[in-house]
Amino acid sequence: MEKKKMTPISEFLDELLDTCGGFGRFQFFIMFVVLGGMSSVTFSMMMMTFAGATPDWNCVRDDSFVRHDITPATTVSNESLHVNGTSMVKQCFPAWDNETTTACEAFTFNTSMNTVVNQWDLVCDEAWIPSTITTIQMSGVLLGGLFTGHLADKIGRKPTHFLSMLTLLVFNVLCGFSVSWEMFATCRLFIGLGIGAFLTVYYPYVLEFIPNERRVVLPAFPMWGIWSALFALVAWGLPDWRYLHFVSAACAAPWLLTWRLMPESFRWLISNNKQEAAFDVIQRVAKFNGSPIRDIKALKIRMDTDVDEPSTNKVYTIRDMFSTAKLAKMTFLHIVSWLACGYGYYGISFGVKGLTGNLFLNMALLSIAEIPAIVTLYFFTNRLGRKWTSLLFCGIGIFAAVTVAFIEATDLQNKVYRTVFVLISKIGVSLAWLGIKLLATELFPTVIRSVSSGLFNSMARVGSLIAPQMVYLNDDIPGILYFICSGGLILAFICICFMPETNNRMLPDTLHEFGSNKLKPKKYHPYKLFDMTTTTKKEKGNIIFVTHM
């Protein structure tokens, strides 16, 4: 007797989403909540671009001297900032009254902004501390990605997501009350853990509710750029590192109240043998979208009799990402690509302090420049595909980064050209990274999707760990930040060439479905489950269920 051909679980779940209203009100709601919560994540991530900035400062002989704070109207020609015709602005070893050059004993700072640098005099011998704090924060992001990838696959997407938001709220408040830079650095580590947790889980959490043809909508929403630009505006109006931490905490608070409104991922529930809870979520989504399923029993019957059931007892780890040669190859290619993009994106972002002109304007420009470009991502990824879109913008990023590196390394110190090509490189890196994120989410199956997201986000943080140190080093070796950025993007470009296209493919749910021929793109029509009726009849003493569509 010929064995009945079973429907792959991924195909069944994709069809089910269309039946439940496709991309409807519920999908907009979950995107609104999660992307709204991203405000606190973005503020927390970009905090050190302001909090670690160094205001203009000048040297005074000791604390008994009358300290003249530098105001925006003060210039280096002011007599109070000169000794024997030598400027004391940013001089760690000035010459006092024709004496031997000695180390500066005390400092005064520009009072137009309050950062951790002027809070704890982090200049001269302690100038390394702000960039190190940024590296500590990014270490937290790395660890958060590694741990929460496993956590999200073990306890679910929803609790992991809300745990990340709670972490950001608590530690942003504590950070605002820091009494030393050591306490501040410790709090930034835990903030990094919260950021890493959010960035690891939010993408698969939302994408698992979105139908095949609309998956690119999520990365096409330029919320990171919008929140980054808003952070620059808030920092301009409230230039104090303490208050900005309290604002970041306040951004997380309202989204925690949506706990009861947000469901668990039905894909995760089914993959973990929690069918009853999954059907409740499915019914809830269908009602929210105005397409209630009238006969849920028929759906359960089809699930039991006609669909390949996922494996339910295995606990998946990073080791499973290397369980086959093909999985190991794709994992390696994504690790290299994410590491390069992480370094490039955050190197450019944290390097905004080194650009000429107004700090807040430069922060806003780097963020705003991404917004219109990201909006076009929907068009490019659907027309060109995920792979070719990533290659296109990776190439743009390489060209712009090389140009900036040569401008900085040579005498062609054209401020306008430098800023323009920095903006172009930021756009190229961010859009290439978004395309790679989409490739990874659609390529790796549900059972290891959060694990893979955690691993790749952690690798991106390895790049972002290096970035602050290169920003610091770029002052002594001009161009090194962007030379390394271009080299990393070239490696990413090569890796993308070997990645498969995932456009118009159903999300795989099991390791067996990874790269399976059953998942070739095809058109299908959703089952009209809400019109189903179920009857039974006897045949040879057995009860047979007959489902009418």
Side-chain angles (χ1 to χ4, degrees):
M1 182 177 178
E2 184 179 353
K3 186 178 178 180
K4 180 182 178 182
K5 185 178 180 181
M6 305 292 281
T7 302
I9 183 66
S10 56
E11 181 180 333
F12 172 71
L13 295 179
D14 276 355
E15 293 169 349
L16 184 58
L17 267 179
D18 282 345
T19 301
C20 293
F23 192 79
R25 290 192 297 267
F26 173 81
Q27 281 71 23
F28 277 107
F29 169 74
I30 192 171
M31 287 178 62
F32 172 75
V33 172
V34 173
L35 295 181
M38 187 183 282
S39 58
S40 180
V41 180
T42 310
F43 277 38
S44 299
M45 179 71 91
M46 305 310 295
M47 181 67 68
M48 288 305 294
T49 58
F50 169 80
T54 303
D56 287 337
W57 57 275
N58 68 292
C59 181
V60 295
R61 187 177 294 233
D62 56 44
D63 287 327
S64 64
F65 272 55
V66 177
R67 306 184 106 197
H68 301 280
D69 285 337
I70 307 174
T71 64
T74 306
T75 65
V76 294
S77 62
N78 192 315
E79 293 180 2
S80 65
L81 303 182
H82 284 70
V83 175
N84 293 330
T86 302
S87 172
M88 295 296 102
V89 176
K90 297 185 178 182
Q91 295 295 315
C92 294
F93 297 93
W96 298 98
D97 302 324
N98 295 322
E99 297 176 4
T100 304
T101 300
T102 57
C104 188
E105 299 171 354
F107 312 93
T108 57
F109 291 85
N110 188 324
T111 57
S112 65
M113 57 193 294
N114 183 28
T115 72
V116 296
V117 174
N118 49 331
Q119 182 71 42
W120 293 299
D121 291 348
L122 304 182
V123 293
C124 293
D125 289 342
E126 296 187 331
W128 57 272
I129 293 176
S131 62
T132 301
I133 292 175
T134 305
T135 297
I136 290 172
Q137 170 191 301
M138 302 313 291
S139 299
V141 180
L142 185 154
L143 294 174
L146 280 176
F147 290 134
T148 54
H150 291 285
L151 190 66
D153 278 337
K154 185 173 183 179
I155 69 172
R157 281 45 163 153
K158 175 182 174 179
T160 306
H161 169 76
F162 280 93
L163 179 62
S164 71
M165 298 301 297
L166 182 62
T167 302
L168 290 174
L169 188 151
V170 171
F171 284 97
N172 266 300
V173 171
L174 290 176
C175 210
F177 288 110
S178 296
V179 295
S180 66
W181 72 261
E182 292 89 351
M183 178 181 174
F184 179 81
T186 302
C187 290
R188 294 305 305 176
L189 173 66
F190 283 94
I191 288 173
L193 289 171
I195 294 171
F198 181 96
L199 294 177
T200 296
V201 76
Y202 94 94
Y203 212 72
Y205 182 29
V206 177
L207 218 63
E208 287 173 3
F209 283 104
I210 297 180
N212 184 341
E213 69 280 2
R214 293 289 184 268
R215 292 179 205 147
V216 74
V217 171
L218 179 61
F221 267 88
M223 295 311 300
W224 188 274
I226 291 172
W227 292 130
S228 296
L230 184 60
F231 173 75
L233 179 63
V234 173
W236 172 73
L238 196 67
D240 189 295
W241 67 272
R242 292 188 187 273
Y243 295 136
L244 286 176
H245 277 86
F246 297 145
V247 171
S248 297
C251 288
W255 309 108
L256 287 169
L257 302 178
T258 63
W259 168 267
R260 294 180 63 86
L261 302 177
M262 296 283 283
E264 180 56 84
S265 165
F266 72 96
R267 286 182 180 271
W268 179 84
L269 290 168
I270 288 177
S271 295
N272 286 269
N273 200 26
K274 299 181 179 181
Q275 276 82 1
E276 287 299 323
F279 289 131
D280 289 341
V281 172
I282 290 166
Q283 185 74 285
R284 184 175 167 186
V285 172
K287 288 180 179 179
F288 204 116
N289 284 338
S291 303
I293 300 174
R294 296 175 185 172
D295 194 349
I296 196 70
K297 183 179 179 181
L299 171 61
K300 295 178 181 178
I301 292 169
R302 182 167 185 270
M303 177 74 182
D304 292 336
T305 61
D306 193 35
V307 177
D308 271 337
E309 292 190 12
S311 57
T312 56
N313 297 322
K314 181 175 173 59
V315 176
Y316 292 91
T317 66
I318 290 176
R319 290 179 61 184
D320 293 290
M321 298 182 65
F322 298 89
S323 57
T324 67
K326 190 170 184 179
L327 262 173
K329 175 185 173 182
M330 289 301 112
T331 300
F332 174 76
L333 294 177
H334 277 276
I335 284 175
V336 175
S337 301
W338 284 64
L339 193 153
C341 290
Y343 171 85
Y345 186 89
Y346 289 106
I348 297 169
S349 297
F350 294 139
V352 67
K353 295 175 286 188
L355 294 178
T356 55
N358 184 275
L359 171 65
F360 306 107
L361 179 60
N362 288 333
M363 289 167 59
L365 283 175
L366 280 177
S367 302
I368 293 172
E370 293 181 50
I371 297 174
I374 291 175
V375 171
T376 64
L377 190 69
Y378 184 86
F379 170 81
F380 282 110
T381 52
N382 278 329
R383 290 298 182 93
L384 299 180
R386 283 61 158 145
K387 177 177 178 177
W388 285 104
T389 299
S390 301
L391 287 171
L392 171 65
F393 287 103
C394 192
I396 292 173
I398 292 169
F399 170 75
V402 170
T403 303
V404 175
F406 275 107
I407 290 176
E408 291 187 348
T410 62
D411 294 331
L412 302 174
Q413 291 290 342
N414 189 301
K415 298 177 182 179
V416 175
Y417 287 162
R418 179 170 176 252
T419 302
V420 168
F421 280 104
V422 166
L423 291 174
I424 294 173
S425 63
K426 178 77 177 294
I427 292 171
V429 172
S430 61
L431 267 68
W433 196 4
L434 285 173
I436 293 169
K437 285 182 179 179
L438 194 56
L439 278 168
T441 304
E442 293 181 335
L443 179 64
F444 291 89
T446 300
V447 292
I448 58 169
R449 189 167 294 127
S450 285
V451 171
S452 64
S453 179
L455 175 63
F456 298 147
N457 271 287
S458 297
M459 292 303 102
R461 305 318 150 196
V462 172
S464 60
L465 280 173
I466 303 170
Q469 303 306 318
M470 291 302 104
V471 171
Y472 178 67
L473 192 60
N474 200 62
D475 292 335
D476 299 322
I477 310 175
I480 188 171
L481 172 67
Y482 289 93
F483 276 124
I484 296 176
C485 176
S486 58
L489 290 177
I490 290 172
L491 288 176
F493 187 93
I494 295 171
C495 289
I496 297 169
C497 291
F498 293 96
M499 295 179 188
E501 179 58 72
T502 60
N503 191 21
N504 294 322
R505 291 172 62 89
M506 291 171 289
L507 288 179
D509 285 285
T510 66
L511 291 181
H512 174 71
E513 292 175 345
F514 178 81
S516 172
N517 291 329
K518 293 181 179 179
L519 292 179
K520 287 182 178 179
K522 67 173 186 176
K523 295 182 179 179
Y524 58 85
H525 301 284
Y527 295 106
K528 298 181 180 180
L529 295 174
F530 46 84
D531 289 335
M532 281 185 173
T533 57
T534 303
T535 60
T536 62
K537 67 179 182 179
K538 289 188 177 181
E539 180 178 339
K540 295 182 181 180
N542 297 320
I543 300 294
I544 297 178
F545 292 92
V546 181
T547 302
H548 304 285
M549 306 296 273

